[in-house]
Amino acid sequence: ASQEMYNAQNALYNGNKLFGYDVDKTTKKYVVDEATAPFVQRMFSEYAEGVPMQDIAEELNGSGVRTVRGREFTVNKMLKNRAYIGEYHHSCVVVEGGMPALVDEETFERVQARMTLNKRHGSQRARGKGEDGAPRYWLTGKLYCGECGARMQGMYGTGKMGKRYYY
């Protein structure tokens, strides 16, 4: 355990592989993996710009990119990892600047803010935004039945001329 603690305090590799990073064989420090780091940077920038997490994961999986454990991406956990802004974490040890940053703090914070908003309000797709971006159901997630407490759901009908009416 003392070797593990020494490694942590000196921001050395402790057996935890991270997508976007490799380990320098001589110094045992994390270094940027030129093959996978651009995918990490793209994930953060696309999500910060509003691309849905699911779309990012599908694009990566579709192009054959896999996690360090050889699995398909879900992206969610990666976007919360402070290692990508240079913070080394192991157990209770945190070393600022302990690893090379792949993402700037401003982008990281924009991603965190968007994740918090989506956690609270759901994604635009879940809130009923159409392909044209028009809100369909303004009260989704806000309106509950006064008798049983169940969530109220929006509906639509189609008029004679084929136009949709939402209510």
Side-chain angles (χ1 to χ4, degrees):
S2 61
Q3 178 66 40
E4 188 176 321
M5 196 49 101
Y6 172 84
N7 286 357
Q9 290 167 344
N10 292 283
L12 301 177
Y13 175 70
N14 244 337
N16 185 22
K17 292 182 179 176
L18 275 173
F19 187 79
Y21 292 101
D22 202 357
V23 178
D24 184 296
K25 304 289 181 248
T26 52
T27 64
K28 301 284 188 226
K29 290 231 178 233
Y30 285 98
V31 292
V32 175
D33 178 7
E34 299 300 332
T36 57
F39 291 109
V40 172
Q41 292 160 332
R42 196 169 88 207
M43 269 185 254
F44 274 91
S45 64
E46 285 183 1
Y47 188 75
E49 296 303 319
V51 177
M53 203 178 290
Q54 187 64 37
D55 292 0
I56 297 168
E58 285 171 6
E59 185 184 330
L60 288 168
N61 295 329
S63 61
V65 180
R66 294 293 177 260
T67 67
V68 290
R69 291 182 178 79
R71 296 189 182 117
E72 289 197 338
F73 279 91
T74 56
V75 180
N76 187 5
K77 237 178 160 178
M78 290 181 70
L79 293 174
K80 295 177 185 173
N81 196 335
R82 297 185 66 82
Y84 293 117
I85 56 170
E87 279 185 20
Y88 175 96
H89 287 259
H90 188 79
S91 310
C92 57
V93 178
V94 177
V95 180
E96 295 281 338
M99 37 202 324
L102 297 183
V103 179
D104 62 271
E105 284 198 43
E106 182 195 341
T107 303
F108 186 84
E109 292 308 325
R110 280 179 36 221
V111 165
Q112 302 319 299
R114 181 160 177 239
M115 288 177 85
T116 302
L117 187 70
N118 283 348
K119 187 176 187 179
R120 225 179 296 135
H121 301 297
S123 71
Q124 297 299 321
R125 198 180 299 170
R127 281 198 279 168
K129 292 265 180 167
E131 280 69 49
D132 58 354
R136 290 187 192 158
Y137 311 115
W138 289 95
L139 299 174
T140 297
K142 296 175 179 66
L143 191 62
Y144 297 88
C145 174
E147 286 185 34
C148 67
R151 286 183 182 213
M152 303 295 273
Q153 295 185 354
M155 300 179 69
Y156 70 88
T158 307
K160 289 181 188 171
M161 303 300 282
K163 184 177 178 191
R164 283 188 176 177
Y165 294 93
Y166 301 97
Y167 53 95

